[in-house]
C-alpha cells in the first residue's frame, strides 16, 4: 500500500494490538477497519460510555471528495470535517479505512487536550502504554506521541466508527 500523498510504500507498526500503516516521509497514518476492530479489548467496553463529543451530531459532518487515493483501493478518499472544527479525517467508502494526515493528527490532539474529558481518556490509555512501548515497532517520531496516538485510536474506534453508517449514507448520496 502506498501513501496517498507521497506515493511511497507505507510501513507497518503494531501499537496496543492494533496494526497501523504509516508513511515514513509525511508521517500520515492509515487505519484499516479490521485493524481498529482488532484493537478492542475487555476494558475498552467501559470507554464507550465516555462522553467525548468530538463527533456527536451527525448533521454537522461536512464531506468533500479528495484527490488523495485510498492506499488499498486506489479510489478517491472523502474528507470529513466536523462543524467548524479543525477535525478532519479522510475516509474510504469502499474499505472503510481512515487516513490521518500529520496535521489532522495534531488537530485532534489539540482538540482533545481542550476537552475536559481528555484526562479520563489519557488516564485510560496510560494503562496501555507500558505494554505498547514493548511491542512498538514504528519510527521514533511516532513513539514520542504514543499516548496521543492511543487516545486517538480509541476515539476512532468508539466515536468515529459509530458514525460510519451515517457517513457512508451521506457519501453515497453525493452527486458524482
Ligand atoms: Zn506520505
Ligand atoms: Zn479503500
Amino acid at each position: 500500500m502506498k501513501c496517498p500523498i507521497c506515493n511511497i510504500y507505507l510501513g507497518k507498526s503494531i501499537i496496543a494490538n492494533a496494526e497501523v500503516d504509516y508513511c515514513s516521509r509525511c508521517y500520515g497514518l492509515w487505519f484499516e477497519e479490521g485493524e481498529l476492530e482488532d484493537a478492542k479489548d475487555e476494558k475498552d467496553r467501559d470507554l464507550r460510555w465516555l462522553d467525548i463529543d468530538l463527533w456527536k451530531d451527525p448533521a454537522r459532518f461536512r464531506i468533500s471528495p479528495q484527490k488523495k487515493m485510498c492506499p488499498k483501493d486506489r479510489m478517491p478518499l472523502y474528507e470529513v470535517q466536523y462543524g467548524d472544527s479543525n477535525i478532519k479525517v479522510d475516509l474510504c467508502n469502499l474499505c472503510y479505512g481512515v487516513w490521518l494526515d500529520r496535521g489532522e493528527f495534531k488537530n485532534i490532539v489539540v482538540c482533545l487536550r481542550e476537552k475536559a474529558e481528555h484526562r479520563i481518556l489519557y488516564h485510560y490509555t496510560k494503562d496501555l502504554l507500558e505494554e505498547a512501548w514493548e511491542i512498538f515497532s514504528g519510527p521514533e517520531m511516532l513513539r514520542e506521541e504514543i499516548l496521543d496516538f492511543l487516545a486517538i485510536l480509541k476515539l476512532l474506534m468508539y466515536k468515529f466508527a459509530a458514525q460510519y453508517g451515517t457517513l457512508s449514507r451521506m457519501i453515497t448520496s453525493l452527486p458524482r
Side-chain angles (χ1 to χ4, degrees), residues 92-158:
C92 174
N93 193 38
L94 273 184
C95 67
Y96 298 113
V98 179
W99 173 259
L100 280 184
D101 282 344
R102 185 81 193 142
E104 293 167 345
F105 179 83
K106 294 255 173 192
N107 286 339
I108 295 178
V109 170
V110 170
C111 183
L112 275 182
R113 288 187 174 150
E114 286 168 357
K115 302 267 175 200
E117 298 94 338
H118 90 276
R119 264 178 288 118
I120 308 168
L121 190 68
Y122 277 72
H123 179 75
Y124 171 80
T125 50
K126 230 174 196 137
D127 292 348
L128 286 173
L129 191 60
E130 271 187 32
E131 179 200 353
W133 277 121
E134 284 168 26
I135 55 174
F136 183 73
S137 61
E140 283 302 307
M141 191 166 166
L142 291 179
R143 188 183 179 109
E144 286 165 19
E145 294 170 335
I146 196 162
L147 201 56
D148 292 332
F149 178 85
L150 287 171
I152 287 173
L153 189 66
K154 298 295 162 195
L155 273 180
L156 283 172
M157 279 192 285
Y158 292 107

Side-chain angles (χ1 to χ4, degrees), residues 32-176:
E32 285 187 12
E33 193 194 25
E35 293 168 348
L36 294 179
E37 289 292 313
D38 292 345
K40 287 181 185 173
D41 63 35
E42 284 297 307
K43 281 166 82 186
D44 284 349
R45 287 189 193 141
D46 304 333
L47 203 69
R48 215 174 302 181
W49 306 105
L50 285 183
D51 186 21
I52 299 159
D53 69 347
L54 274 186
W55 293 297
K56 217 173 201 168
D57 178 8
R60 297 190 64 206
F61 285 113
R62 291 193 308 206
I63 296 174
S64 52
Q66 295 292 294
K67 287 203 189 90
K68 290 176 223 166
M69 298 289 176
C70 170
K72 202 176 178 182
D73 311 300
R74 311 305 294 169
M75 296 294 283
L77 293 167
Y78 289 89
E79 184 186 86
V80 179
Q81 183 174 6
Y82 187 68
D84 300 325
S85 73
N86 287 324
I87 307 292
K88 289 177 192 170
V89 299
D90 297 295
L91 289 185
C92 174
N93 193 38
L94 273 184
C95 67
Y96 298 113
V98 179
W99 173 259
L100 280 184
D101 282 344
R102 185 81 193 142
E104 293 167 345
F105 179 83
K106 294 255 173 192
N107 286 339
I108 295 178
V109 170
V110 170
C111 183
L112 275 182
R113 288 187 174 150
E114 286 168 357
K115 302 267 175 200
E117 298 94 338
H118 90 276
R119 264 178 288 118
I120 308 168
L121 190 68
Y122 277 72
H123 179 75
Y124 171 80
T125 50
K126 230 174 196 137
D127 292 348
L128 286 173
L129 191 60
E130 271 187 32
E131 179 200 353
W133 277 121
E134 284 168 26
I135 55 174
F136 183 73
S137 61
E140 283 302 307
M141 191 166 166
L142 291 179
R143 188 183 179 109
E144 286 165 19
E145 294 170 335
I146 196 162
L147 201 56
D148 292 332
F149 178 85
L150 287 171
I152 287 173
L153 189 66
K154 298 295 162 195
L155 273 180
L156 283 172
M157 279 192 285
Y158 292 107
K159 295 296 172 180
F160 203 72
Q163 303 278 8
Y164 249 129
T166 316
L167 288 173
S168 321
R169 279 194 298 279
M170 286 167 75
I171 291 171
T172 47
S173 66
L174 289 173
R176 305 247 163 198

